[in-house]
Amino acid sequence: LLFTEAHMDYKDLIETNISKITGLDKEKVYSLIEIPPQLDMGDYAFPCFTLAKELRKAPPMIAADIASDPSLTTGALTVKNVGPYVNFYVDREVLAQEVISEIISAGDNYGTDDIGGGRNVIVEYSSPNIAKPFHVGHAFTTILGNSIANIYTKLGYNIALINAGGRDI
């Protein structure tokens, strides 16, 4: 899941709440949060193996204790423990409403950022060779190059477009 500043960063929320519950350093908690390998296991997972030594408990028991804390569940997050993991599920409807609201409020500026800081980027892409028959492959690389240039522009880079003069890249 990709988040911007306008809507909730669920990983940050999970980090903050687990840090409060366990007393672990926020950076340590953040580094432990994983993306489960299967969708049915949730959107995020917190493994409790590192807490076993400190708390002198089995990881599944620690996970059950953490998952039962009501501060972890919000309107957009539900929690379930599965073995030694605390799994978090993001409500897709709430997420969709947040993203759509952000898109509407940002309008044409949605996705704009200054991450590029005015640095220069060269985007090279092909153009059709007018001496050869035109086919969809020519359109693909031209459209792809233009799309990449548009993305870099939105991210604050200075773009230099170079046309590869009819050869496919």
Side-chain angles (χ1 to χ4, degrees):
L1 300 172
L2 180 64
F3 302 101
T4 61
E5 294 175 17
H7 59 275
M8 186 180 303
D9 183 341
Y10 295 108
K11 189 172 179 180
D12 187 52
L13 177 66
I14 293 166
E15 166 206 31
T16 300
N17 289 338
I18 288 180
S19 181
K20 286 178 188 174
I21 294 167
T22 63
L24 284 175
D25 181 59
K26 287 177 95 174
E27 288 80 26
K28 175 73 172 172
V29 171
Y30 195 85
S31 70
L32 291 172
I33 297 172
E34 304 172 354
I35 305 293
Q38 297 168 344
L39 285 176
D40 63 337
M41 299 173 102
D43 297 297
Y44 298 101
F46 179 74
C48 296
F49 302 107
T50 57
L51 298 173
K53 263 187 183 176
E54 292 177 39
L55 300 178
R56 298 179 193 260
K57 283 176 140 178
M61 292 175 64
I62 298 168
D65 291 344
I66 292 172
S68 66
D69 192 300
S71 68
L72 288 179
T73 303
T74 67
L77 268 181
T78 55
V79 181
K80 189 190 308 181
N81 82 291
V82 179
Y85 290 87
V86 180
N87 293 12
F88 298 86
Y89 299 81
V90 176
D91 184 323
R92 300 285 192 252
E93 189 174 318
V94 172
L95 175 61
Q97 288 172 354
E98 290 174 356
V99 172
I100 290 169
S101 294
E102 180 182 345
I103 291 168
I104 291 169
S105 68
D108 289 342
N109 292 322
Y110 180 75
T112 301
D113 200 334
D114 64 352
I115 194 171
R119 290 177 294 193
N120 297 322
V121 172
I122 296 173
V123 177
E124 182 178 8
Y125 62 98
S126 71
S127 67
N129 182 343
I130 59 171
K132 292 183 179 179
F134 189 78
H135 62 84
V136 74
H138 294 112
F140 174 76
T141 55
T142 303
I143 292 167
L144 181 62
N146 189 50
S147 297
I148 290 170
N150 288 340
I151 291 168
Y152 273 120
T153 300
K154 281 282 199 177
L155 294 176
Y157 290 91
N158 294 320
I159 306 301
L161 294 173
I162 297 178
N163 188 295
R167 64 183 170 93
D168 289 349
I169 303 176

